Amino acid sequence: MRNTLLVTGGAGFIGSNFVLQQMLDESWFIINLDKLTYAGNLHNLEGIAADRYQFIHGDIGDRALARQLLEKHQPGAIVHFAAESHVDRSIRGPEDFIRTNVDGTFALLEETRAYWSALLDDRRNRFRFLHVSTDEVYGSLGPQDPPFSEITPYAPNSPYAASKAASDHLVRAYHHTYGLPTLTTNCSNNYGRFQFPEKLIPLMILNARDGKALPVYGDGKNVRDWLYVEDHCEAIATVLRRGRPGETYNIGGWNEKPNIEIVQTICDLVDEKLPQAGRSRRELITFVKDRPGHDRRYAMDARKIERELGWKPKATFETGIRKTVSWYLENEAWVRDVTSGSYRQWVATHYSG
Ligand code: NAD
Ligand code: TYD
């Protein structure tokens, strides 16, 4: 029987990077279940080996579809990326976040439990459900607080973070109550190719390229811990292979930076690659009204995954951000495709006034 991996949300930013990486590194047959919301993009997966990959257009909340996929393809593991993922959108309209992140994860867990319960011994023991989550479930740190560890109490502040926290709790309960062999990863902010340009780094690269204002929320001193997406994907693969069922693993880049510093670095790299005589992109930086409830600082203690599973990030911020800026400047067709229609509408609504 072939070794099948069911990935949800594999047309999004991290999911598509993960699928491409797994196609190179492992012998999986990959089924990618994705609803193709505004954040899903099949162009990310162009050129993938068709004999080892199948795309299914659908919603994780569609239980009949999930049941049919599980019965037909008999996956040995599920990696669950599918989610609504943008904090600002969750503030403007939380409903989709509850529907997909909470109800959708619940539906997927229920169908997975039914499928897994009926597996025979060896396949049942080896099956894994890996839930991809975020550091935002832990809330906000003060300047001197130690970074979040796996035992930091949950204190989600945005509707996005609350919906992810709820899904984490469901996953935990399915292990504790039913013995479902789950793994949960909580990761810090990712950056790299294929990230939808509503998020800080690609938004700033494209605005800097186009000479548009660079909208920094509040005083620009909010701190995030940035991890290059390929390192995150390798961490997920490591946890999938060697993680202990029922455990959670924090993943981070050991790379805390205030937003303003990120934006200045992007300005300098865009200036280097597309110089404008006598002008610096830093002049485009504009401080705008802060995000409501904006978490001040995130930082991850990623020692457990290093100690137990031997994973640590390979990319430095300097190498990762350079590759990322180059990728966005060199992939005009991809950028044009995702920045049409609804993207323009989001930017116009969100940044007006
Ligand atoms: P993304 O928004 O780029 O992609 C999400 C994908 O899920 C899209 O392809 C979308 O079409 C799909 N999707 C949404 N709703 C769906 C549904 N109901 N059914 C099926 N598919 C659906 O997100 P991302 O940045 O790639 O994040 C992936 C996962 O990683 C999320 O669970 C997110 O919470 C988590 N995460 C993200 C980051 C980050 O920095 N981006 C950091 C830590 C954790
Ligand atoms: P974002 O990429 O939305 O990720 P998250 O909110 O999940 O951490 O934002 C990263 C940081 O950048 C966050 O502190 C908010 C800030 N930010 C801005 O200052 N301006 C912007 O236009 C955006 C989108 C984000």
Side-chain angles (χ1 to χ4, degrees), residues 188-252:
S188 62
N189 286 60
N190 283 216
Y191 67 99
R193 67 175 175 173
F194 304 145
Q195 187 166 35
F196 193 74
E198 63 188 352
K199 305 276 169 69
L200 180 76
I201 287 183
L203 178 90
M204 295 297 170
I205 297 171
L206 297 180
N207 280 16
R209 179 195 73 174
D210 297 342
K212 292 183 182 160
L214 306 177
V216 174
Y217 297 162
D219 62 4
K221 293 191 180 138
N222 299 67
V223 171
R224 297 291 183 265
D225 169 2
W226 293 94
L227 179 69
Y228 191 52
V229 65
E230 288 179 15
D231 278 324
H232 185 194
C233 294
E234 281 180 14
I236 291 170
T238 303
V239 172
L240 184 62
R241 267 197 310 271
R242 297 204 293 278
R244 284 181 289 136
E247 292 291 312
T248 72
Y249 296 89
N250 281 2
I251 303 169

Side-chain angles (χ1 to χ4, degrees), residues 85-88 134-136 160 189-190 195 197-204 214-218 220 222-224 226 259 263 288 290-291 294-296 298 346 350-351:
S85 69
H86 189 36
V87 172
D88 291 325
T134 166
D135 58 357
E136 307 199 19
Y160 163 66
N189 286 60
N190 283 216
Q195 187 166 35
E198 63 188 352
K199 305 276 169 69
L200 180 76
I201 287 183
L203 178 90
M204 295 297 170
L214 306 177
V216 174
Y217 297 162
N222 299 67
V223 171
R224 297 291 183 265
W226 293 94
N259 294 336
V263 178
V288 300
D290 209 353
R291 169 189 282 173
H294 194 177
D295 284 338
R296 193 64 175 167
Y298 301 146
W346 163 256
H350 184 61
Y351 294 98

